[in-house]
Amino acid sequence: MRVYLFIAAIAGGATWLVTPLIRHLAISIGAVGKVRARDVHTIPTPRMGGLGMLIGFVVSMLFASRMPFISGLFMESQQAWVVVAGAVMICLLGMADDLWDLDWMLKLSGQLLISVFVAWGGLQIISLPLGSLVTASPSLSIAITAFLIVASINAVNFVDGLDGLASGIVAIGGIAFAVYSYILARSSPSYASMATLIDVALVGICVGFILHNWHPAKLFMGDSGSMLLGYLITCASIIMTGHLDPASIHTSVYVPVFMPILLPVLVLFLPVLDMVLAIVRRVGKGQSPMHPDRMHLHHRMLRIGHSVQGAVLILWGWAALIAFGSLMVLFFKVQHVIVGMVCAAIVLAVITMLPYLRHRLPELREENVVLSKAKHTSGNRHEDE
């Protein structure tokens, strides 16, 4: 565990140190986002913060490759370097969008090509528990892997609308998945786990970046950052999920084995929900799925009456409830977990709606007073008649 904490500290420290330099670079090359109608910020702010996170991730992986405890992971296969290569490419694609605002079709095509390259390089879901464990064909494995990577990349991109929101949600999901992958790794001859390594490095770069990205943000992560985060958290889940050995699975451990499929979905529940709602909403209006609007979850939170910081913290709370609540099923009785999650959900729901209730309840009282006066006046008229 200490080795993983050290890797997370390296990733976070490197990201925190280089991010101010990236900010100056972004300003100098013109990677400064204009204030658009859908934006929350009111002044032009440099973006391309994903480059700082990429540097932090690469530095942490280089350190990890030299550490005795986990260096064997880099010798067994080229999987780690395939992940790093894909991270570099996806970040470069995001940087191009931060600079030149690429057409969404071009960006989606780039995401798909990079995802196929990574899957072809060995990062694949080989088997899936679908009623029973089935081994997917190579072509199907590549297709499923590419689809999951592209979907996660865009889910995180959709939710990246407030300072610190996307990086915080991904960090929470990374912590939950790192805990689970570490627990599974402890049952193996070697505690070393590539999934855990990627997750702790991911958490580190998120925390290091949030220190510069908390409202009011000095730098935005841009597409270079949101795409990188979605890519990395999916890579970690695929490494854990995609190499289940059908011959080694027994009924007694079937439910824990199913968790690698469920947990990645649950830790990204909010981004995925926001993406699905946005696509349905836009397609229903006859618009492109990538057509921008101000109807995302974070926009609704601000409309209710929350401050930027308050909205971010509450959405972090919902993400933590879903991610850690699902993880608790492995340690406690399901009934107890459900009761705890329901209680926490009620508290979060009240906090979420509190600003609306504070404004709406006085308005309802005034409306009731007006209606009662109107009825009283109408009654007096009828008596006079």
Side-chain angles (χ1 to χ4, degrees):
M1 177 60 77
R2 287 177 294 180
V3 173
Y4 291 127
L5 293 176
F6 177 71
I7 294 299
I10 290 293
T15 303
W16 179 75
L17 287 173
V18 302
T19 295
L21 300 177
I22 301 302
R23 180 177 183 275
H24 290 296
L25 174 63
I27 294 173
S28 64
I29 64 176
V32 179
K34 297 179 181 179
V35 179
R36 300 162 297 187
R38 69 178 186 272
D39 290 331
V40 175
H41 64 283
T42 56
I43 59 174
T45 305
R47 45 193 181 181
M48 209 170 73
L51 179 58
M53 291 190 281
L54 174 67
I55 293 172
F57 178 73
V58 172
V59 168
S60 66
M61 293 297 280
L62 290 174
F63 265 88
S65 67
R66 299 296 180 182
M67 300 183 70
F69 174 69
I70 46 182
S71 59
L73 296 173
F74 295 82
M75 299 177 185
E76 293 172 0
S77 69
Q78 298 299 313
Q79 193 175 64
W81 303 120
V82 170
V83 172
V84 171
V88 172
M89 288 188 288
I90 205 72
C91 185
L92 289 175
L93 176 64
M95 288 171 59
D97 185 66
D98 292 338
L99 278 168
W100 301 303
D101 286 325
L102 302 179
D103 179 75
W104 72 270
M105 283 292 291
L106 178 61
K107 187 166 60 174
L108 188 63
S109 300
Q111 294 171 358
L112 185 59
L113 287 174
I114 294 170
S115 301
V116 170
F117 164 78
V118 171
W120 177 77
L123 192 78
Q124 296 180 23
I125 293 181
I126 297 175
S127 57
L128 290 171
L130 302 173
S132 61
L133 281 164
V134 294
T135 302
S137 65
S139 58
L140 183 59
S141 295
I142 291 176
I144 293 174
T145 302
F147 171 78
L148 290 176
I149 292 175
V150 171
S152 297
I153 286 172
N154 286 285
V156 176
N157 191 20
F158 271 61
V159 83
D160 180 31
L162 297 179
D163 300 340
L165 178 58
S167 50
I169 288 177
V170 172
I172 290 168
I175 292 171
F177 201 80
V179 170
Y180 179 65
S181 59
Y182 178 75
I183 291 172
L184 288 188
R186 288 176 64 90
S187 62
S188 63
S190 171
Y191 285 5
S193 166
M194 181 60 66
T196 308
L197 174 61
I198 294 174
D199 274 317
V200 297
L202 174 64
V203 173
I205 64 176
C206 287
V207 174
F209 183 73
I210 287 175
L211 297 177
H212 296 283
N213 187 237
W214 190 246
H215 185 77
K218 301 175 183 176
L219 176 72
F220 294 152
M221 69 170 64
D223 275 26
S224 58
S226 60
M227 289 166 58
L228 176 66
L229 296 184
Y231 165 81
L232 289 177
I233 196 168
T234 309
C235 285
S237 64
I238 287 173
I239 289 172
M240 178 60 64
T241 307
H243 293 83
L244 301 174
D245 181 9
S248 66
I249 302 305
H250 302 284
T251 305
S252 60
V253 296
Y254 187 74
V255 173
V257 166
F258 224 120
M259 191 55 71
I261 293 288
L262 298 176
L263 195 55
V265 176
L266 294 172
V267 299
L268 287 177
F269 179 79
L270 282 184
V272 171
L273 174 64
D274 195 29
M275 180 180 68
V276 171
L277 291 176
I279 292 174
V280 171
R281 180 174 65 247
R282 294 165 185 175
V283 171
K285 294 180 179 178
Q287 300 172 334
S288 162
M290 299 297 176
H291 183 79
D293 59 29
R294 290 181 60 89
M295 295 294 291
H296 289 286
L297 293 177
H298 51 272
H299 289 130
R300 296 173 188 269
M301 292 290 288
L302 297 179
R303 198 174 296 120
I304 288 174
H306 290 286
S307 64
V308 172
Q309 298 98 323
V312 169
L313 290 173
I314 292 171
L315 290 173
W316 282 5
W318 282 109
L321 171 63
I322 297 168
F324 293 113
S326 60
L327 192 63
M328 289 299 103
V329 174
L330 300 175
F331 304 98
F332 304 100
K333 292 182 178 180
V334 175
Q335 300 91 326
H336 297 166
V337 173
I338 292 175
V339 170
M341 290 184 68
V342 168
C343 293
I346 292 173
V347 172
L348 279 173
V350 171
I351 295 174
T352 300
M353 298 304 298
L354 193 57
Y356 174 80
L357 295 175
R358 283 177 176 173
H359 290 87
R360 185 57 180 158
L361 289 178
E363 292 176 358
L364 290 174
R365 292 194 190 98
E366 291 179 3
E367 290 175 4
N368 289 333
V369 170
V370 171
L371 287 174
S372 63
K373 288 183 177 178
K375 290 180 180 179
H376 182 70
T377 303
S378 176
N380 290 338
R381 289 177 180 175
H382 286 301
E383 290 177 1
D384 293 340
E385 291 175 359

